[in-house]
Amino acid sequence: MSYQLTNIVPSIDGVLLRSTTPIPGATETLRYLQQQKIPFILLTNGGGKGEAERVKDLSEKLEVPLDTSMFVQSHTPFVELANGKDSLAEKCILVCGGDGGKCRDVAESYGFKNVITPGDIYVAYPEIWPFSSNFKTYYSSFARPLPRPISPSSPGESLKIDAIFVFNDPRDWALDAQVILDVLLSEKGIIGKQSRKNNDWSLPNRGYLQDQQPPIYFSNPDLLWAAKYHLPRLGQGGFREALEGLWAALTGGPREGVELQKKVFGKPFRQTYSFAERRLIAHRKNIYQSDPPALRKVYMVGDNPESDIRGANTYNSPHETEWISILVKTGVYDEGTPAWAPRSLQEDVKGAVQWALEDSGWKAPFK
């Protein structure tokens, strides 16, 4: 068996697709990689659907057979939080973002067993945010009964949130922000009951998030992403920035020494690159039907300097794998000096893979 030194990790939005339209050269590039048995996985900060559904959709759009073993989206690493040590599988989690109840379905497929959404809360208690009445029919279409009522006078019987997950870009920023803030300012995650420790200057963080409030996880830090519109659009990172602005307005924020403690996944963060690297190692074994030599070089192809390029440039692999960044001009980045300098700048994914093949000493022609 001839093992390939070239391993490719392309992003999706702005590299392979522009919204739902394939970028010229994307299909033939992926087909070539498969024909030559060059390992690749797709690594995206997108999400909002189950992995199987998203891969089926990508396979149809790109006209290339793909499977979930070669795919990592923003919230895929959340599966590890439902398994293993300190599992949240049995806890009550609040899942935000995405269309309808799809992100709840994804969370349940990962092993989370008690999942609620802001829509569930709104349908049961519409007064929690009085400006979402136009969305009532929408929320009613997927809302489920709450496992417990909101009862501040009986906290032992009231709805309690153990973790907050922003799986995908929220569709109703206002409702989601209000519910999240209610939980972060609560006593022990009990909705409707504010913590007495808030604004206590004698405590760390001025008492905020010092009363067993649940952790909050974001799956995607991207402020901007390449959608169908000709200019980049706000992504989940935009929602997070808005939420942090509201947090600062309510608590004093960093100006007053108050931090919104959070855990952010997705590119450029280490846990996402580590997860992707493990997925790539497993995928190589599937291709070669054996244990290939250690993973030495990975070429990250991305359109966003702040996520794709920064992540590849700063990732310190436990396997001593060298991650090499290649920036393309078909997405968020267009011209000028990028915030994070890539190893190579190319017009598109085809040019990026051609460069990677040449850099790794690949002999077969790809024109």
Side-chain angles (χ1 to χ4, degrees), residues 48-308:
K49 299 178 181 179
E51 281 72 12
E53 180 183 356
R54 186 78 191 279
V55 165
K56 180 176 182 293
D57 184 54
L58 288 170
S59 297
E60 292 172 355
K61 287 185 172 70
L62 292 166
E63 299 181 349
V64 176
L66 304 167
D67 63 68
T68 56
S69 72
M70 56 205 305
F71 178 70
V72 178
Q73 57 185 340
S74 64
H75 45 67
T76 306
F78 285 170
V79 69
E80 295 185 332
L81 297 174
N83 299 279
K85 185 181 179 182
D86 301 321
S87 168
L88 294 170
E90 304 291 339
K91 302 293 185 179
C92 182
I93 68 169
L94 176 70
V95 165
C96 303
D99 291 329
K102 284 190 175 182
C103 285
R104 186 206 322 260
D105 296 339
V106 176
E108 291 176 341
S109 75
Y110 289 171
F112 296 102
K113 299 176 182 177
N114 191 5
V115 184
I116 67 169
T117 71
D120 300 339
I121 297 172
Y122 176 78
V123 169
Y125 297 93
E127 61 274 15
I128 199 166
W129 180 246
F131 304 117
S132 283
S133 57
N134 290 340
F135 298 102
K136 188 171 183 179
T137 301
Y138 167 69
Y139 288 131
S140 298
S141 70
F142 64 86
R144 295 181 188 172
L146 296 174
R148 289 187 174 192
I150 294 177
S151 180
S153 60
S154 303
E157 301 173 1
S158 189
L159 181 63
K160 179 178 180 295
I161 304 299
D162 299 302
I164 305 166
F165 288 88
V166 182
F167 260 66
N168 193 232
D169 306 48
R171 279 26 176 190
D172 184 355
W173 283 27
L175 174 64
D176 286 21
Q178 181 66 79
V179 172
I180 290 171
L181 289 168
D182 282 349
V183 177
L184 294 175
L185 294 169
S186 72
E187 176 186 305
K188 301 177 181 178
I190 300 170
I191 295 184
K193 186 174 179 59
Q194 285 207 341
S195 171
R196 294 182 180 180
K197 294 183 179 181
N198 292 342
N199 204 32
D200 185 337
W201 288 75
S202 69
L203 296 173
N205 213 41
R206 262 182 51 200
Y208 292 101
L209 301 176
Q210 305 300 305
D211 199 6
Q212 300 179 49
Q213 289 91 348
I216 180 168
Y217 301 91
F218 294 90
S219 73
N220 174 5
D222 286 353
L223 179 64
L224 299 170
W225 68 292
K228 193 169 186 178
Y229 193 65
H230 66 284
L231 297 176
R233 302 290 84 190
L234 289 171
Q236 189 188 131
F239 172 76
R240 195 189 82 241
E241 292 289 346
L243 182 69
E244 295 209 44
L246 291 169
W247 173 263
L250 290 169
T251 67
R255 172 173 50 85
E256 299 290 342
V258 180
E259 178 190 1
L260 175 55
Q261 295 156 3
K262 57 194 177 294
K263 298 178 182 179
V264 185
F265 285 64
K267 298 174 290 185
F269 295 107
R270 185 185 187 284
Q271 60 265 41
T272 289
Y273 277 82
S274 177
F275 186 95
E277 189 171 72
R278 295 195 301 273
R279 180 63 57 89
L280 179 57
I281 290 170
H283 183 57
R284 292 173 85 233
K285 290 181 180 180
N286 289 339
I287 289 177
Y288 299 129
Q289 296 295 305
S290 63
D291 288 328
L295 186 65
R296 290 304 177 202
K297 278 188 175 183
V298 175
Y299 294 88
M300 175 75 219
V301 183
D303 70 302
N304 191 329
E306 286 287 353
S307 59
D308 304 312

